[in-house]
Amino acid sequence: MPSMWLSDTQKIGAVFCIAGCAFMFLGVLFFFDRAMLAMGNILFLLGLLIIIGLQKTFVFFARPQKLKGTAAFIIGIVLILVRWAFVGFLVELYGIFVLFGDFFSTIAGFAGSVPVVGPYIATFFRKISGAKRNAELPV
């Protein structure tokens, strides 16, 4: 099935992002394994870079309203690398919520179409995002 809106390079970036999220999930599941969390961070950032490009990635992380999230995300990665995996993960999680919180309403709209559990997932994402449904995305 052809994808109309993703190039082949962006598909590879999406795979890197998914693999990064999977490694981060496994890192948490394996009691905050430092190597898994670090690999998840690297793959996620590499995938994001491939999907939206170098310039847009830099612009996204350098926006004035996102600097606190960017700093928390980078500090979290550094803490994970210096063997403070639990504290680093919590700081990084805060950074992720600040950086990507605007996307939660978009995820909620997509998740609402899933049968049976979709409305519950959509309600959860709408509550944590605090944003309106048709808000403008930050990128």
Side-chain angles (χ1 to χ4, degrees), residues 71-90:
F73 188 71
I74 292 171
I75 290 170
I77 291 172
V78 169
L79 286 172
I80 288 171
L81 293 176
V82 296
R83 297 181 186 235
W84 285 57
F86 182 71
V87 176
F89 179 76
L90 292 178

Side-chain angles (χ1 to χ4, degrees), residues 101 103-105 107-109 111 120-131:
F103 293 108
F104 289 144
S105 61
I107 295 170
Y120 301 110
I121 296 170
T123 304
F124 169 73
F125 277 117
R126 283 192 190 107
K127 282 184 181 180
I128 65 171
S129 73

Side-chain angles (χ1 to χ4, degrees), residues 1 8-9 13 18 21 26 29 42-43 49-51 62 72 88 95 99 103 114 119 126 130-131:
M1 182 164 122
D8 289 339
T9 307
I18 291 169
C21 290
L26 289 173
L29 193 67
I42 292 167
L43 287 174
L49 187 71
I50 292 172
I51 289 174
L99 284 170
F103 293 108
V114 175
R126 283 192 190 107

